Amino acid sequence: MPRPPASLPHLPPPSPLATVPGLAARAQAMRRFNRFYTRQIGALREGLLQSPYSLTQVRLLYELAHRDGLSATTLGRELGLDGGYLSRTLAGFEKQGLLRKAPAPADARQNILSLTPKGRKLFAPLEQRSQQEAEALLGALAPPAQARLVEAMQAIEQLVEPGAAGASSCLIRSHQPGDIGWVISRHGALYVQEYGWDISFEALVAEIAGRFISKFDPQWEYCWIAERDGVNVGSVFLVRESKQVAKLRLLIVDPAARGIKLGQRLVDECIRFARSKGYRKLTLWTNDCLHAARRIYQEAGFVLVKEEKHHSFGVDLVGQNWELKL
């Protein structure tokens, strides 16, 4: 038998797993699904989301838009990208004025990457189109089928990469009938248990939530509900204050879902939506005793702009106003 040309790589020896009954057929089924799904999400198009950018380029823009403190090394490692390709792509972004570099505080040999205002403006419609395409795909299904599809996707993620489950094990969806009542009830119960606040806090939450429903503008506002195994475990709201300012409200994570960065994921969703709608600033009000929430806001880039002592909900508190420039 003639030897293969030197320019072609030699195939590796057969894997011991090749003898596992049914494995080959399952691998073929997996490859068929991959071909189906890449077509469904438009990964085969020359430009993704009606843009001149490839799937990999849009993914890089996504990571840069939603995460702070990223270096090229971290990006390459987490996304499994070739170093040369990554370097050329980032250089192209920089040349287009989409990317800025700054020396890392702890290591001047590393650069911290971030999108410029021009880069964020360019990415915002891509984010919106991606959301619209996903909603169109899901919208063709009845709600039970939507839930089944998302659960199947979560199962794939958890089986293939168990360590990455975390907050992704929760379904993040828009509110449905009954959810607003849960938000009010859970706030009332948790805040009396954990902080000793009286029922007047539940009344305030009911007022905020009721106003959201009665004046809900789906074009500019949103409510995210986190659900795990069919049970609500978190929420956050975005409400419109003006054409340029939105307000983050009613962030809550049930104790059963804490420690998996779900609060961070909910806040990230809120920030992403605000940017996609063209808001220039996101504000919120909280109290200094809510340490976990404040840490999430700080890590997301919010800045404390005002503090004021007050007596509310039966206790002495220090109210805080935070802002995030978008």
Side-chain angles (χ1 to χ4, degrees):
M1 179 181 293
R3 294 174 64 103
S7 59
L8 294 177
H10 292 286
L11 293 174
S15 167
L17 290 175
T19 61
V20 176
L23 181 63
R26 295 187 190 105
Q28 289 179 3
M30 182 177 182
R31 292 169 60 199
R32 182 171 62 250
F33 174 79
N34 289 342
R35 292 192 296 272
F36 160 79
Y37 195 62
T38 51
R39 175 171 56 83
Q40 287 290 323
I41 64 173
L44 302 179
R45 301 172 197 157
E46 186 174 349
L48 191 69
L49 300 171
Q50 306 169 39
S51 78
Y53 298 102
S54 68
L55 173 62
T56 306
Q57 290 171 323
V58 172
R59 178 59 189 275
L60 284 169
L61 290 170
Y62 175 92
E63 295 296 331
L64 292 166
H66 297 298
R67 295 174 61 187
D68 296 324
L70 280 175
S71 67
T73 302
T74 301
L75 272 174
R77 181 181 66 251
E78 293 188 0
L79 300 183
L81 296 177
D82 172 76
Y85 172 81
L86 177 61
S87 179
R88 291 190 298 272
T89 303
L90 294 177
F93 287 164
E94 192 172 16
K95 187 176 181 180
Q96 296 170 55
L98 309 178
L99 178 72
R100 67 161 63 99
K101 298 178 179 178
D107 186 355
R109 296 170 297 178
Q110 288 271 13
N111 283 320
I112 298 301
L113 310 175
S114 61
L115 292 183
T116 62
K118 180 181 178 180
R120 292 194 177 279
K121 184 177 180 180
L122 178 140
F123 179 73
L126 301 183
E127 174 85 345
Q128 190 168 11
R129 285 176 207 147
S130 178
Q131 179 71 15
Q132 289 170 344
E133 287 189 4
E135 289 179 2
L137 182 64
L138 286 167
L141 305 173
Q146 293 176 17
R148 184 182 172 194
L149 175 60
V150 172
E151 288 167 3
M153 292 175 169
Q154 292 174 341
I156 291 172
E157 184 178 1
Q158 293 167 24
L159 286 168
V160 174
E161 194 175 355
S168 64
S169 64
C170 298
L171 169 64
I172 305 294
R173 58 171 176 78
S174 58
H175 65 284
Q176 298 170 358
D179 286 330
I180 303 303
W182 174 86
V183 170
I184 297 168
S185 172
R186 206 69 192 107
H187 271 83
L190 279 181
Y191 277 78
V192 70
Q193 293 169 11
E194 299 184 347
Y195 300 101
W197 295 8
D198 65 25
I199 200 169
S200 64
F201 177 66
E202 187 171 350
L204 174 64
V205 175
E207 181 183 342
I208 295 169
R211 189 184 311 122
F212 176 83
I213 289 296
S214 64
K215 298 183 179 297
F216 180 49
D217 183 349
Q219 178 65 26
W220 299 102
E221 301 178 316
Y222 209 92
C223 165
W224 292 264
I225 298 293
E227 176 186 304
R228 185 163 67 179
D229 299 327
V231 177
N232 289 355
V233 292
S235 73
V236 72
F237 291 61
L238 181 139
V239 297
R240 192 182 195 191
E241 292 285 293
S242 68
K243 289 183 177 180
Q244 295 192 334
V245 180
K247 191 167 188 176
L248 183 154
R249 310 207 77 169
L250 302 182
L251 173 67
I252 192 170
V253 175
D254 191 271
R258 291 176 184 169
I260 59 172
K261 297 186 180 296
L262 178 58
Q264 178 181 322
R265 185 178 169 198
L266 287 166
V267 170
D268 286 346
E269 291 286 349
C270 198
I271 293 171
R272 183 158 52 247
F273 180 86
R275 283 176 173 152
S276 73
K277 293 301 180 181
Y279 287 113
R280 306 302 299 166
K281 184 167 65 175
L282 188 57
T283 69
L284 65 89
W285 179 79
T286 188
N287 286 278
D288 70 340
C289 60
L290 307 182
H291 302 296
R294 288 174 49 221
R295 188 159 52 248
I296 292 171
Y297 302 143
Q298 286 177 308
E299 291 176 356
F302 282 86
V303 176
L304 177 62
V305 295
K306 183 181 177 182
E307 285 188 307
E308 186 175 6
K309 293 181 179 180
H310 65 106
H311 183 86
S312 304
F313 323 126
V315 292
D316 291 324
L317 297 166
V318 178
Q320 296 182 330
N321 294 91
W322 295 71
E323 293 182 355
L324 174 67
K325 292 183 178 179
L326 303 171

